[in-house]
Amino acid sequence: MQAVLLCRSAHATSTWAGAASLTALLAVAASRASGLALTALTSSSDVHQRLSTSASYSSQSHGHSRSTSTVTVNAGTVGDGVDSGQLHVTVEPLSGVHESVSVISLSRPAARNAIGRQLLRELAEALDTVRQERTTRCVLVRSVVPGVFCAGADLKERATMSQSEAAEFVSRIRRTFTELQDLPMPTVAVVEGLALGGGAELALACDIRILGNGASMAFPEAQLGIIPGAGGTQRLPRIVGASRAKELIFTGRRVAGPEALDLQLADHVVPDDQVYNRALQLAEQIVRSAPLSLRQAKAAVNRGLDVDLHTGLAMEEAMYAQLLPTRDRLEGLKAFAEKRKPEYKGE
């Protein structure tokens, strides 16, 4: 079994000086909360140490083919709720026109990508991998299992857990999805087929959702004697509104692509054979932006939603101020004047 261990050089942390006291305080608090301290973003590049060489990863997706090196994560051990010898999650950094895009792929076909111990562990490691990548500007989360994005929790595995074990496992899912939400770079859920329960909550944790016409999302937990426990009761009403979220949770009904768009549960809905390509097109547009700008913009929006408008405006000012001394800002101005494409370095 192949594995790659990613190690990162330590980042020194310092407080940006020169802002007014309130602004500086907000800047430090916001940057620490979102992992976006400018000193950490502009420090020396990550050190990648390969313990073994990963096999070349080739995939075909609706007419789009690519072959790049793939970072694989821990495959687990037999006897701990795993499928022997099979990775459930891979991380693939793309190249060419899609350079700076990383793809997290779910692959557990026997269980329709149900979230078990191994898949959750590998997903957490995948998130840690892309979080450390300074060159990654956009992350796609997709399934390589036809007809399903994620069928939710592995209920067969859940049935073997004690009450306390089940509670801890759901807590781990919630933490992992929050880590996905808090990735510093933009994330896109590529939903083809079913996204049920925890699978729908996984999509909600991404910044943007692209669905196929035939895709559907549902929150059937109440019909199983529980509630959405991986953030669904909190993220869903923030996206579609309280009353619509309650209806979807109370009834557990499935929402297909076109209705999901009407409810703003989906941001884009396209024909089923174009979902991944549409995600790549969107990612290609995103990565044209400066990496530090993407991170600060995401942090400003996410953190601003949790505070009143005046505090949010102060946070925006502080995060804007952190970008003023960057080389990328000067490069953007220079490229604009010279009518050329900017070459951003994340510095």
Side-chain angles (χ1 to χ4, degrees):
M1 185 178 303
Q2 296 165 329
V4 176
L5 175 64
L6 277 79
C7 301
R8 179 171 57 165
S9 59
H11 293 306
T13 303
S14 62
T15 303
W16 181 77
S21 59
L22 174 60
T23 301
L25 179 61
L26 287 168
V28 173
S31 62
R32 285 179 178 172
S34 57
L36 299 178
L38 191 60
T39 51
L41 290 175
T42 57
S43 59
S44 59
S45 61
D46 302 331
V47 178
H48 288 206
Q49 179 182 5
R50 293 187 176 272
L51 296 184
S52 61
T53 303
S54 176
S56 175
Y57 179 94
S58 299
S59 66
Q60 301 288 334
S61 177
H62 308 311
H64 179 85
S65 62
R66 63 197 184 283
S67 179
T68 66
S69 61
T70 301
V71 178
T72 58
V73 294
N74 179 27
T77 57
V78 178
D80 187 27
V82 303
D83 296 348
S84 179
Q86 178 184 345
L87 287 169
H88 293 175
V89 180
T90 58
V91 182
E92 180 187 2
L94 302 186
S95 59
V97 296
H98 302 302
E99 188 174 359
S100 299
V101 178
S102 288
V103 181
I104 296 177
S105 297
L106 308 181
S107 178
R108 193 188 178 195
R112 301 197 302 172
N113 289 340
I115 303 171
R117 291 186 178 94
Q118 179 184 342
L119 188 145
L120 183 62
R121 179 172 58 251
E122 292 180 7
L123 177 59
E125 292 172 358
L127 297 177
D128 187 58
T129 294
V130 297
R131 185 184 301 108
Q132 298 180 53
E133 287 285 346
R134 285 183 57 206
T135 58
T136 297
R137 303 186 197 180
C138 182
V139 176
L140 307 184
V141 181
R142 65 178 299 226
S143 164
V144 294
V145 179
V148 64
F149 176 70
C150 175
D154 186 337
L155 297 183
K156 291 183 179 179
E157 187 176 280
R158 184 77 57 83
T160 67
M161 299 179 186
S162 66
Q163 182 175 325
S164 61
E165 288 173 335
E168 171 57 25
F169 186 68
V170 173
S171 180
R172 285 172 53 199
I173 297 176
R174 188 182 304 112
R175 290 196 302 269
T176 301
F177 287 6
T178 299
E179 289 171 2
L180 170 60
Q181 173 187 284
D182 291 342
L183 282 180
M185 67 285 291
T187 56
V188 181
V190 186
V191 182
E192 301 176 78
L194 299 176
L196 307 178
E201 292 177 288
L202 175 62
L204 293 184
C206 293
D207 298 313
I208 301 169
R209 285 160 295 283
I210 300 178
L211 272 64
N213 282 322
S216 61
M217 300 178 67
F219 304 86
E221 287 89 347
Q223 297 178 349
L224 298 171
I226 53 177
I227 64 173
T233 64
Q234 301 306 304
R235 294 190 180 97
L236 185 60
R238 284 169 167 79
I239 294 172
V240 305
S243 60
R244 286 175 173 174
K246 290 175 182 177
E247 178 203 345
L248 294 178
I249 293 171
F250 294 164
T251 65
R253 70 180 182 87
R254 296 185 182 185
V255 177
E259 184 184 3
L261 186 62
D262 291 338
L263 294 175
Q264 298 184 332
L265 191 56
D267 300 289
H268 301 275
V269 174
V270 298
D272 292 327
D273 61 349
Q274 297 179 23
V275 182
Y276 184 59
N277 284 335
R278 179 66 185 91
L280 287 174
Q281 292 171 4
L282 178 61
E284 183 180 351
Q285 293 177 304
I286 290 173
V287 300
R288 294 172 187 169
S289 299
L292 299 183
S293 298
L294 290 172
R295 294 176 179 227
Q296 294 294 73
K298 176 173 177 173
V301 173
N302 284 356
R303 305 305 171 188
L305 289 173
D306 295 330
V307 299
D308 63 88
L309 177 60
H310 291 292
T311 303
L313 290 173
M315 292 176 64
E316 178 188 271
E317 181 179 8
M319 292 183 181
Y320 189 102
Q322 288 187 340
L323 295 172
L324 288 176
T326 64
R327 294 180 180 179
D328 278 356
R329 186 184 74 87
L330 299 178
E331 167 62 15
L333 292 174
K334 185 178 180 181
F336 179 80
E338 297 175 356
K339 297 181 180 181
R340 61 173 175 81
K341 180 181 178 181
E343 297 180 3
Y344 294 123
K345 305 295 185 182
E347 301 175 350

